[in-house]
């Protein structure tokens, strides 16, 4: 009997490799090779070029020197494909679309390499701006708003550029469909901040600031602001003016975001003990008509109004004192910037008396400038050790009416006089003042807290808030309204 080839035996059609699977493997191997080794692999480069041209994508996707933005500018039809590129794809009844997966792999490789293969050596202002633009395209590919993962202009950046190679398309095996990287968003945000901080450190920042044209290319970020604040005493003339302009731009951007959050949160209850103001804009038309329906004249088709009704708009507000104490040591730069801005916003609210204290081994009362975060930041001196007892010495005399006072203490609480500081904090809490210990005030929620303090605050009934800045806004809203 002659064996028929049904396509399922050895050498049958079902065992033949799928061309699209091969193309995807080539692109993934090139991605991995470039992430781990900056040296070009000629065989992979030529094979990848053939794949990209075969599927109708521009060869510029393989050019390490081309930003995603420049590729999109030349090929605007690709913009829509980059948006949500790495979000989960809905399952189709017909199974996997392997050709579409190859196309997505080529686009994803471009974004990942531009963001995570950040190279080495000196970085120019143009290169930093290009990386920040590519990072925004990466955030869009994950379904986020540009800047969102890096903190919405307040991301937590740590020193040194991380390798970033842990974010590759290896989750489902080389050659498999593009994995859902959106699950890794909590880890990706801090990593992006880390890479950005490393790029800033590799810049000759003073030379860039001295050239207005180069300085204008800089995009303000938390990493850049940290470097500017640390180096401001060494700058003068044009460089200092450009540094101040960048700090001002960043402060204004973050202020706008936080003010919106505060205004949405800090709304008190309607005070019905205060008669409504009898002006037209407060007129309650619907209630006025309803209450006067008995005066309707069907023949004349007229409604005679005996009484007008107005809406209550006055809200209960109680004068409150807000004392913000923030650690300005090197590990708390992000919190220092965010809390300075947040304090200025609350200082602008009616009947909120804001006091601001910054400290390391010395304490500085910044209350006279609390309404202006820009001026406040220029007066800070980042770095140094940490001694919260000197800040407490300034804060305690400000607590005149404990039950009308909230003390927000922002630090990682790595103190060298632990017991002494905690005892004074416990005394503030027992006095009736609202004491809120905060481990980090960032947009990413990244930060560590001394476990010794964390446990004692928990036992005291004042657990540490550690996370998104919205948590602090919510806590303050419940007390101040």
């Amino acid at each position: 009997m002659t064996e028929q080839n049904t396509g399922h035996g050895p050498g049958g059609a079902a065992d033949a490799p799928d061309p699209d699977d091969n193309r995807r493997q080539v692109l993934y191997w090139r991605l991995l090779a470039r992430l781990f080794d900056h040296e070009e692999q000629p065989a992979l480069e030529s094979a990848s070029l053939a794949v990209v041209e075969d599927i109708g994508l521009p060869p510029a996707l393989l050019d390490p020197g081309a930003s995603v933005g420049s590729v999109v500018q030349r090929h605007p039809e690709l913009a829509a494909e980059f948006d949500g590129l790495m979000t989960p794809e809905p399952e189709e009844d017909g199974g996997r679309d392997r050709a579409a997966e190859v196309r997505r792999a080529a686009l994803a490789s471009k974004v990942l390499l531009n963001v995570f293969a950040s190279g080495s050596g000196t970085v120019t202002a143009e290169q930093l701006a290009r990386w920040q633009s590519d990072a925004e395209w990466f955030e869009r590919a994950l379904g986020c708003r540009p800047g969102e993962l890096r903190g919405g202009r307040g991301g937590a950046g740590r020193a040194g550029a991380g390798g970033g190679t842990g974010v590759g398309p290896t989750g489902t095996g080389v050659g498999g469909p593009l994995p859902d990287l959106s699950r890794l968003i909590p880890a990706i945000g801090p990593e992006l901040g880390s890479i950005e901080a490393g790029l800033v450190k590799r810049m000759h920042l003073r030379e860039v600031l001295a050239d207005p044209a180069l300085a204008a290319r800089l995009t303000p970020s938390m990493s850049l602001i940290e470097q500017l604040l640390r180096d401001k005493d060494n700058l003068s003339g044009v460089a200092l003016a450009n540094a101040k302009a960048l700090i001002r731009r960043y402060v204004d951007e973050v202020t706008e975001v936080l003010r919106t959050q505060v205004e949405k949160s800090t709304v008190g209850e309607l005070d019905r003990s205060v008669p409504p103001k009898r002006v037209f804009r407060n007129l309650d038309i619907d209630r006025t008509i309803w209450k006067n329906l008995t005066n309707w004249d069907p023949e004349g088709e007229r409604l005679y109004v005996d009484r007008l009704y107005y809406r209550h708009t006055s809200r209960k507000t109680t004068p409150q004192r807000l004392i913000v104490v923030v650690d300005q040591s090197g590990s708390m730069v992000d919190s220092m910037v965010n809390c300075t801005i947040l304090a200025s916003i609350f200082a602008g609210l009616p009947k909120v008396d804001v006091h601001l204290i910054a400290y390391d081994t010395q304490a500085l009362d910044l209350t006279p400038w609390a309404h202006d975060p820009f001026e406040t930041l220029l007066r800070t001196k980042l770095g140094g050790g940490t001694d919260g007892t000197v800040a407490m010495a300034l804060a305690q005399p400000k607590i005149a009416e404990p039950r009308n006072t909230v003390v927000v203490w922002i630090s990682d609480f790595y103190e060298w006089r632990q017991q002494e500081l905690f005892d004074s904090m416990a005394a503030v809490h027992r006095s009736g003042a609202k004491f809120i210990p905060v481990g980090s005030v960032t947009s990413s929620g990244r930060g560590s807290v001394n476990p010794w303090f964390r446990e004692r605050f928990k036992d005291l009934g004042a657990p540490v808030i550690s996370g998104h800045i919205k948590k602090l806004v919510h806590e303050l809203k419940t007390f101040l309204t």
Side-chain angles (χ1 to χ4, degrees):
M1 179 180 293
T2 303
E3 183 182 26
Q4 293 182 346
N5 188 346
T6 61
H8 300 286
D15 294 330
D18 187 288
D20 288 324
D21 283 343
N22 288 342
R23 294 188 182 101
R24 196 166 51 246
Q25 281 186 2
V26 167
L27 294 171
Y28 283 169
W29 279 118
R30 175 184 178 272
L31 169 62
L32 291 174
R34 278 194 168 271
L35 282 173
F36 287 101
D37 185 355
H38 298 305
E39 292 295 323
E40 185 177 291
Q41 302 294 321
L44 285 174
E45 292 298 322
S46 59
S48 298
L49 178 61
V51 170
V52 167
E53 291 179 335
D54 191 40
I55 61 178
L57 287 173
L61 285 173
L62 302 179
D63 180 4
S67 67
V68 177
S70 66
V71 174
V72 171
Q73 186 176 18
R74 284 177 281 175
H75 305 275
E77 70 279 1
L78 295 179
E81 293 191 60
F82 278 108
D83 281 328
L85 176 68
M86 299 178 188
T87 55
E89 285 281 293
E91 291 289 338
E92 297 183 1
D93 295 338
R96 288 166 50 193
D97 185 344
R98 285 178 166 80
E101 288 177 3
V102 177
R103 192 174 180 89
R104 293 179 68 211
L107 297 173
S109 295
K110 176 61 178 173
V111 179
L112 289 169
L113 280 175
N114 278 30
V115 172
F116 290 100
S118 54
S120 60
T122 303
V123 174
T124 66
E126 185 176 2
Q127 288 173 323
L128 177 63
R130 187 176 66 189
W131 182 90
Q132 290 171 328
S133 172
D134 287 333
E136 290 181 355
W137 280 102
F138 178 53
E139 289 164 324
R140 290 171 62 169
L142 291 172
C144 302
R145 295 186 305 275
E148 184 176 353
L149 293 185
R150 289 170 293 139
R153 290 284 178 240
R158 53 183 171 82
T165 53
V167 186
T170 58
T172 56
V174 175
L178 192 68
D180 175 17
L181 292 185
S182 60
R183 296 173 300 171
L184 302 178
I185 282 178
I188 290 174
E191 189 64 25
L192 289 178
S194 169
I195 297 174
E196 185 175 41
L199 292 170
V200 171
K201 283 184 177 293
R202 285 157 48 194
M203 292 179 65
H204 291 307
L205 193 54
R206 294 182 194 177
E207 295 178 14
V208 172
L209 292 172
D211 186 334
L214 291 177
R217 294 181 182 178
L218 292 174
T219 302
S221 64
M222 179 59 70
S223 307
L224 181 60
I225 298 308
E226 177 181 348
Q227 292 297 102
L228 294 175
L229 291 175
R230 289 185 186 279
D231 206 33
K232 66 181 186 298
D233 293 336
N234 299 316
L235 301 175
S236 60
V238 174
L240 180 59
N242 286 329
K244 287 183 176 181
L246 285 165
I247 295 172
R248 172 72 76 180
R249 278 174 56 194
Y250 183 83
V251 166
D252 289 346
E253 289 176 9
V254 177
T255 300
E256 191 62 33
V257 174
L258 293 184
R259 181 179 287 116
T260 300
Q261 295 178 7
V262 171
E263 288 175 349
K264 288 180 178 179
S265 299
T266 54
V267 179
E269 297 179 357
L270 289 175
D271 187 357
R272 300 195 179 277
S273 65
V274 179
K277 194 171 183 179
R278 301 172 71 84
V279 294
F280 178 76
R281 69 172 178 271
N282 291 342
L283 181 63
D284 190 335
I285 301 288
D286 292 340
R287 191 174 179 217
T288 297
I289 293 175
W290 177 258
K291 290 290 187 179
N292 289 281
L293 278 179
T294 55
N295 299 327
W296 171 252
D297 178 9
E299 294 182 1
E301 294 185 348
R302 292 172 181 263
L303 178 66
Y304 295 94
V305 177
D306 291 334
R307 179 183 173 186
L308 296 174
Y309 292 84
Y310 297 86
R311 299 185 185 90
H312 284 78
T313 56
S314 297
R315 298 183 181 275
K316 293 181 180 179
T317 56
T318 305
Q320 305 282 6
R321 174 161 290 188
L322 170 62
I323 302 172
V324 180
V325 183
V326 57
D327 178 352
Q328 65 173 356
S329 63
S331 59
M332 297 297 293
V333 176
D334 202 341
S335 290
M336 181 72 219
V337 174
N338 277 289
C339 284
T340 297
I341 295 171
L342 193 60
S344 72
I345 295 170
F346 278 99
L349 296 179
K351 298 186 179 181
V352 178
D353 180 24
V354 176
H355 294 255
L356 179 62
I357 298 170
Y359 75 97
D360 42 35
T361 55
Q362 295 181 316
L364 181 63
D365 191 344
L366 296 168
T367 302
W369 303 278
H371 66 284
D372 189 338
F374 174 72
E375 290 296 331
T376 300
L377 288 172
L378 291 184
R379 284 169 170 77
T380 60
K381 190 170 184 179
L382 303 177
T386 309
D387 184 4
T389 60
V390 296
M392 183 60 78
L394 282 180
Q396 278 183 320
K398 295 177 179 288
I399 307 175
E401 300 177 24
R403 298 196 176 278
N404 198 34
T405 303
V406 56
V407 179
V408 179
W409 197 291
I410 303 102
S411 175
D412 54 12
F413 298 100
Y414 284 96
E415 299 276 345
W416 66 284
R417 289 198 275 188
Q418 294 186 149
Q419 192 63 56
E420 183 180 347
L421 179 59
F422 176 76
D423 289 344
S424 60
M425 290 174 167
V428 169
H429 177 72
R430 287 192 295 268
S431 72
K434 173 74 170 178
F435 184 77
I436 305 177
V438 184
S440 64
V441 183
T442 70
S443 297
S444 65
R446 183 173 184 160
S448 62
V449 176
N450 186 341
W452 188 91
F453 269 93
R454 185 185 291 277
E455 288 302 314
R456 280 155 183 77
F457 283 138
K458 185 177 179 181
D459 295 339
L460 187 65
V464 174
I465 296 176
S466 199
H468 203 287
I469 194 169
K470 288 183 179 179
K471 292 184 179 179
L472 178 56
V473 171
H474 176 74
E475 285 290 324
L476 292 176
K477 166 245 179 181
T478 59
F479 186 82
L480 295 173
T481 60

